[in-house]
Amino acid sequence: MKKILSVLAALTLTASLLAGCSGKAASTPAETAGQAESATAAESTMESAAETETVSQQETTVAETEGSQPAEASAEETAVRVMALKGPTAMGMVQLMDTAEAGSVGGNAYEFTIAASADEVTPRLVQGDADIAAVPANLASVLYNNTEGKIQVLAVNTLGVLYIVESGDTVQTAADLKGKTIYASGKGSTPEYALNYILSSNGIDPEEDVTIEWKSEHSECVAALSSGEGGIAMLPQPFVTTAQAKNDSIRIALDLTKEWDALQAGAETPSALITGVVVVRTDFAAENPEAVSAFLDSYKESVDFVNGSTEDAAALIEKYDIVPAAVAVKALPYCNITFIEGTEMKEKLSGYLNVLFGQNPKAVGGKLPADDFYYSR
């Protein structure tokens, strides 16, 4: 127990360090609290969490939403607890979630939980209360390093979903961001590192040449963007579509995936901008290889369904309270939901993590993960 608490305390402290605002960023209450760097306080917090094992009220267990109890696995079935974030990572799972309501799928009895943020997923995964989870790509590496290999990555599930949007017409290229104020959320994870890489690669110092106002949630960026003319924000889908629904003058100025690809075009081994991955507890994968393989097959089918049947997928996305169907229909073509495993997954993800490591080693947990980080079936 002490070892687990120590690991969780380290993760909490790491998150606090990554979440600290720059001198130009506007501090939110959540960010201000995250700046506390006391290891003692972190251990106390995690000990309390371990004792109470209280699930955040922001989480929604699919079985509970439907008014039934989570599926109980029979002797021939494997119980699999899956967590996803309220956004593209969960959107890609909706067909599997829907099928699982009727019973086991491929021999697996699933329990799905949709969380509002990665902070809700991390302790559940590390404590063994979740088996598989969709998390930001860099967080997967941080978890692997801080748990000494207790987490492996199964597949890339979301490529770049980040966009620079504005209620105006001043940004045509990345260079046009110099001197601007940008509202953004996701400090300490993929959004921050992707933005910093693109800015610095275009000759813009993220600390000196732009003002980045970090918000605790994407919805706050939408509100700030809509509050006045000339606002600029970095938003992921489907929040871009949500913002445009509130203000039809908001336009997509830059697709950060395209900006990233342009910068990587001359590289010997080009990396890809990767937003999310699916991870598994290493022990669970070792004990249940057939269940993991069945999950990957079912998840790929779900992703193919979501990408190929927009209207039907949007209805399921609304059913599971991720975003309204009208928003999902417009957002899905821009969400870059995908399924990449095996050798291709390792090549793309390792290249991406290498770029982040070059910016800030803490972004990936202090060092690049070893080969056993990349699960292969």
Side-chain angles (χ1 to χ4, degrees):
M1 173 61 76
K2 288 185 177 180
K3 183 175 181 181
I4 292 174
L5 292 175
S6 177
V7 169
L8 287 168
L11 284 170
T12 301
L13 185 56
T14 299
S16 297
L17 292 171
L18 289 175
C21 292
S22 68
K24 295 187 177 184
S27 296
T28 66
E31 289 168 341
T32 302
Q35 292 169 1
E37 299 181 3
S38 166
T40 301
E43 286 191 15
S44 175
T45 299
M46 297 316 297
E47 284 175 2
S48 176
E51 289 170 359
T52 61
E53 297 182 353
T54 300
V55 179
S56 169
Q57 292 181 351
Q58 290 179 302
E59 296 175 354
T60 303
T61 301
V62 172
E64 293 172 354
T65 300
E66 298 303 312
S68 59
Q69 295 300 315
E72 294 184 3
S74 69
E76 295 79 25
E77 299 170 346
T78 302
V80 184
R81 300 161 297 177
V82 183
M83 297 189 72
L85 299 177
K86 195 169 186 177
T89 60
M91 290 162 72
M93 289 186 181
V94 291
Q95 193 244 17
L96 175 55
M97 291 161 61
D98 188 56
T99 304
E101 285 186 20
S104 67
V105 182
N108 291 342
Y110 289 104
E111 177 186 321
F112 289 93
T113 302
I114 299 174
S117 73
D119 291 341
E120 299 167 33
V121 179
T122 297
R124 297 277 297 277
L125 193 61
V126 175
Q127 290 177 339
D129 295 328
D131 306 308
I132 293 172
V135 299
N138 75 301
L139 178 59
S141 180
V142 172
L143 288 171
Y144 169 86
N145 283 318
N146 282 283
T147 62
E148 299 180 351
K150 299 293 186 184
I151 300 297
Q152 290 179 289
V153 63
L154 293 174
V156 172
N157 67 355
T158 318
L159 297 175
V161 297
L162 294 169
Y163 298 85
I164 296 294
V165 299
E166 68 166 333
S167 55
D169 196 30
T170 64
V171 179
Q172 307 301 325
T173 69
D176 294 333
L177 292 172
K178 188 171 184 176
K180 300 291 198 300
T181 295
I182 304 170
Y183 303 110
S185 180
K187 188 170 179 63
S189 60
T190 294
E192 179 183 15
Y193 299 118
L195 180 60
N196 284 351
Y197 172 65
I198 288 167
L199 289 174
S200 58
S201 297
N202 282 278
I204 301 173
D205 185 338
E207 297 292 331
E208 300 293 335
D209 297 333
V210 294
T211 299
I212 304 174
E213 293 197 11
W214 292 103
K215 305 295 185 180
S216 60
E217 296 182 6
H218 300 306
S219 58
E220 293 181 40
C221 298
V222 173
L225 183 65
S226 302
S227 63
E229 295 183 3
I232 298 173
M234 176 177 65
L235 289 172
Q237 286 288 6
F239 293 94
V240 172
T241 301
T242 299
Q244 290 177 320
K246 293 182 177 181
N247 184 347
D248 58 12
S249 69
I250 292 174
R251 56 178 281 270
I252 295 177
L254 299 173
D255 179 342
L256 295 196
T257 299
K258 292 181 179 179
E259 297 296 323
W260 183 289
D261 290 345
L263 293 171
Q264 286 287 308
E268 184 176 342
T269 54
S271 68
L273 175 55
I274 296 172
T275 300
V277 297
V278 179
V279 299
V280 64
R281 289 190 296 109
T282 302
D283 289 346
F284 181 84
E287 295 167 4
N288 303 281
E290 293 182 358
V292 171
S293 184
F295 165 78
L296 290 172
D297 289 340
S298 298
Y299 186 39
K300 183 180 186 305
E301 289 180 11
S302 184
V303 168
D304 290 343
F305 168 82
V306 169
N307 287 330
S309 305
T310 302
E311 295 283 347
D312 292 338
L316 291 178
I317 289 167
E318 179 174 272
K319 172 183 176 180
Y320 293 111
D321 196 30
I322 300 171
V323 293
V327 172
V329 166
K330 294 180 180 179
L332 277 171
Y334 301 96
C335 285
N336 286 328
I337 296 170
T338 189
F339 179 90
I340 304 172
E341 63 172 324
T343 302
E344 185 182 0
M345 177 261 291
K346 181 179 179 181
E347 290 175 353
K348 290 184 179 295
L349 182 55
S350 62
Y352 171 72
L353 294 176
N354 192 57
V355 171
L356 298 193
F357 180 80
Q359 288 190 52
N360 181 357
K362 288 182 179 179
V364 298
K367 60 182 179 181
L368 292 172
D371 286 345
D372 64 349
F373 172 62
Y374 304 94
Y375 182 87
S376 179
R377 52 173 171 165

